[in-house]
Amino acid sequence: MNLQETSTLSPNIVPRADHNISRTQISENALKVLYRLKTAGYESYLVGGGVRDLLLGREPKDFDIATDARPEQVHALFRNCRIIGRRFRLAHVQFGGEIIEVATFRANQDAAREVGGAHNDSGRILRDNTYGTLEQDAFRRDFTVNALYYDIRDFSLRDYVNGIADLRAGTLRLIGEPQIRYREDPVRMLRAVRFAAKLGFRIHPDTAAPISALSTLLDGIPPARLFEEILKLFLYGFGLQSFESLRHFGLFARLFSRTDAILDTEEQGFPHTFIAEALASTDARVNADKSVTPAFLFAALLWEPVRQQALVLEAQGMHPGEALRRAADEILPEQISHVALPRRFATPMIEIYQLQPRFAQRDGKRPLRLLAHPRFRAAYDFLMLRAAAGEVDTELARWWTEFQNVDAAGQSSLLNAAPAGERGRSRRRRRRRETSPSA
Ligand code: ATP
Ligand code: MG
């Protein structure tokens, strides 16, 4: 669809009486911004995930606003406003912990190309700060269900792209020609997977078709941006679904190549089981409002390559904990050249690994010392995952579960009952543990 065609399109307008969005569901701060823009004579609409999620009866994660006011004009209206972004300049209006993002209408690709937008050789957008009309703003968005506008003047919805029909049908569909839209911004492939998993939508066949062939375009995306996307894919309650879908489209290989290669070759399904267990338990934690951390997530996603590399080092005589740390050090540089992992998460991730062999040491004061370690809880949770995946003796896992839950007397009787003289390795090995670092 080109701009000449689209600019003459009139939107489908759904009046207030015919949709379920009420102002009481919109954050007060977003309403404040919408009304102040309107009073100052600008157009202002709620758009994006806020509108989509409200129409679906879900609670929006945040509220985005689109307006014809320029960022500086928005800035002039709010004291609590900052202009951010290099690729897109956006206004952030801050109310305590809540940030309302206000974006000026922008034109889509065709217009941007003519008036000085920039692309690289593969068609990726490098700059696109070309302001446009409301219609143009609708067509430059990614999916039809993300391009619905709630008009603060009369509380109607404006739909230029048949987004409402797709929303009702549970269809995730890119606006425009999918090949072109993915080349402009390959992260849209990850967004397709994410929204389909989050909303339980089906990706329209035309939107799904080019993904596998274009998956390598992710290699050109800055690692820091991919890190942010990974968190959105895996830490919001639908991680397992995201993982299966990323694997299906060949996208997981572009993000975690070492892990993916092992998933492809492993016969007994162990790493797959392990990652699935990790993501299912992360999803369960999120859905129970418990905390989750990037360190634990990455520990799970990178465990298999690190574990296998540690075995090689152990075979050369290295102590198991040291071998795990060195293995992580060897694997991380390549990994973070694709997906960033800030130090503040990499450090605790490596600690989780290093503590694993210590669970096998149940003699003397060692268990009490491990229990007091600041990273004990995360390392214990990790041990439980390994046990659930069949990688660690369930007796050992049960022992630790009990040990931390009993009083001092209980602890000393458990210490007495623990197999004596255990060092690194349990004696009754199963097939799997022949190849597993100790614990
Ligand atoms: P959520 O906030 O629930 O994750 P969202 O749809 O609000 O989902 P955001 O990343 O907050 O997603 O972006 C807000 C809106 O901006 C989107 O709904 C979409 O219309 C537009 N948008 C965001 N990223 C892109 C992109 N890469 N290409 C085109 N449009 C985009
Ligand atoms: Mg949003």
Side-chain angles (χ1 to χ4, degrees):
M1 196 152 346
N2 70 37
L3 213 73
Q4 280 67 38
E5 285 170 64
T6 63
S7 55
T8 58
L9 269 180
S10 57
N12 177 14
I13 296 182
V14 184
R16 169 63 191 99
D18 296 346
H19 67 74
N20 67 323
I21 297 183
S22 113
R23 269 165 296 162
T24 60
Q25 299 165 299
I26 302 171
S27 96
E28 268 178 46
N29 298 324
L31 286 173
K32 235 181 261 175
V33 175
L34 286 165
Y35 278 122
R36 192 173 303 176
L37 285 163
K38 179 184 115 146
T39 307
Y42 300 110
E43 285 182 71
S44 64
Y45 301 87
L46 196 65
V47 66
V51 177
R52 178 196 68 217
D53 291 349
L54 287 177
L55 285 171
L56 290 170
R58 306 170 66 104
E59 196 187 327
K61 201 168 91 210
D62 47 39
F63 291 94
D64 299 309
I65 289 172
T67 179
D68 60 348
R70 300 293 162 93
E72 315 74 59
Q73 295 172 316
V74 178
H75 189 257
L77 286 178
F78 299 94
R79 261 189 311 121
N80 46 337
C81 178
R82 284 195 315 137
I83 295 184
I84 60 133
R86 257 186 332 147
R87 210 178 116 202
F88 317 130
R89 290 175 66 234
L90 299 168
H92 272 182
V93 189
Q94 179 125 25
F95 299 89
E98 188 179 17
I99 291 176
I100 306 296
E101 194 166 287
V102 184
T104 306
F105 298 149
R106 288 204 302 274
N108 80 0
Q109 255 347 89
D110 294 346
R113 208 181 303 258
E114 273 148 40
V115 225
H119 292 72
N120 71 358
D121 294 342
S122 64
R124 185 149 68 88
I125 310 177
L126 301 175
R127 287 193 307 276
D128 64 346
N129 242 335
T130 316
Y131 298 124
T133 62
L134 170 61
E135 292 91 316
Q136 290 172 330
D137 193 71
F139 283 95
R140 65 95 188 161
R141 289 180 184 272
D142 48 7
F143 301 98
T144 62
V145 297
N146 284 349
L148 301 170
Y149 295 78
Y150 173 86
D151 189 340
I152 198 63
R153 286 171 300 199
D154 61 2
F155 319 122
S156 66
L157 288 175
R158 292 181 178 226
D159 178 7
Y160 290 88
V161 294
N162 261 324
I164 292 175
D166 283 341
L167 196 90
R168 294 214 170 104
T171 300
L172 192 73
R173 187 198 312 255
L174 267 179
I175 297 167
E177 173 56 49
Q179 283 258 3
I180 295 175
R181 302 308 311 281
Y182 289 136
R183 285 183 189 280
E184 284 171 4
D185 181 4
V187 170
R188 289 174 184 148
M189 296 187 278
L190 299 179
R191 291 175 61 89
V193 164
R194 166 153 72 92
F195 292 124
K198 165 176 165 156
L199 305 172
F201 276 27
R202 179 191 72 128
I203 303 178
H204 188 278
D206 295 345
T207 297
I211 297 181
S212 297
L214 297 180
S215 59
T216 54
L217 292 177
L218 284 183
D219 299 355
I221 301 299
R225 188 169 176 214
L226 291 180
F227 173 71
E228 295 299 327
E229 285 301 320
I230 295 290
L231 302 189
K232 291 183 193 169
L233 282 158
F234 292 121
L235 294 184
Y236 286 86
F238 45 88
L240 182 54
Q241 183 55 47
S242 293
F243 170 68
E244 301 293 359
S245 180
L246 290 172
R247 284 272 296 162
H248 169 79
F249 286 114
L251 294 167
F252 192 74
R254 311 319 307 171
L255 303 167
F256 296 93
S257 55
R258 294 279 293 255
T259 308
D260 192 79
I262 297 170
L263 286 166
D264 279 343
T265 56
E266 195 77 29
E267 315 103 57
Q268 293 140 0
F270 271 108
H272 188 276
T273 308
F274 177 79
I275 291 178
E277 290 283 350
L279 294 173
S281 96
T282 302
D283 290 346
R285 287 184 67 90
V286 173
N287 293 320
D289 276 330
K290 293 189 194 160
S291 68
V292 289
T293 68
F296 192 86
L297 172 70
F298 277 76
L301 291 170
L302 298 174
W303 173 238
E304 200 55 25
V306 168
R307 190 184 70 80
Q308 292 194 5
Q309 181 60 18
L311 286 174
V312 173
L313 297 172
E314 257 190 80
Q316 295 163 6
M318 202 178 282
H319 182 276
E322 175 64 6
L324 282 161
R325 189 187 63 75
R326 285 278 283 276
D329 280 349
E330 286 175 25
I331 276 157
L332 272 181
E334 225 273 308
Q335 174 61 34
I336 63 179
S337 73
H338 294 286
V339 179
L341 180 62
R343 263 281 144 216
R344 67 183 186 282
F345 303 124
T347 303
M349 177 189 88
I350 292 171
E351 278 185 303
I352 290 171
Y353 289 160
Q354 278 189 288
L355 290 181
Q356 294 306 306
R358 288 177 54 182
F359 284 103
Q361 302 168 3
R362 286 183 277 174
D363 45 342
K365 291 212 165 12
R366 287 169 160 178
L368 282 167
R369 246 185 272 135
L370 182 53
L371 197 58
H373 193 286
R375 205 67 65 192
F376 171 81
R377 188 71 218 179
Y380 163 80
D381 286 342
F382 201 77
L383 181 81
M384 291 299 118
L385 284 181
R386 298 176 61 211
E391 195 187 294
V392 167
D393 213 324
T394 48
E395 183 274 325
L396 183 70
R398 241 181 283 122
W399 190 92
W400 277 99
T401 303
E402 241 190 296
F403 186 69
Q404 64 186 299
N405 286 318
V406 293
D407 58 15
Q411 284 180 340
S412 58
S413 73
L414 277 167
L415 285 171
N416 290 330
E422 254 182 351
R423 289 246 324 124
R425 244 169 254 272
S426 144
R427 283 152 300 161
R428 284 175 298 112
R429 289 185 192 180
R430 273 194 259 119
R431 182 194 49 191
R432 168 66 172 175
R433 283 183 297 112
E434 300 282 355
T435 60
S436 138
S438 344

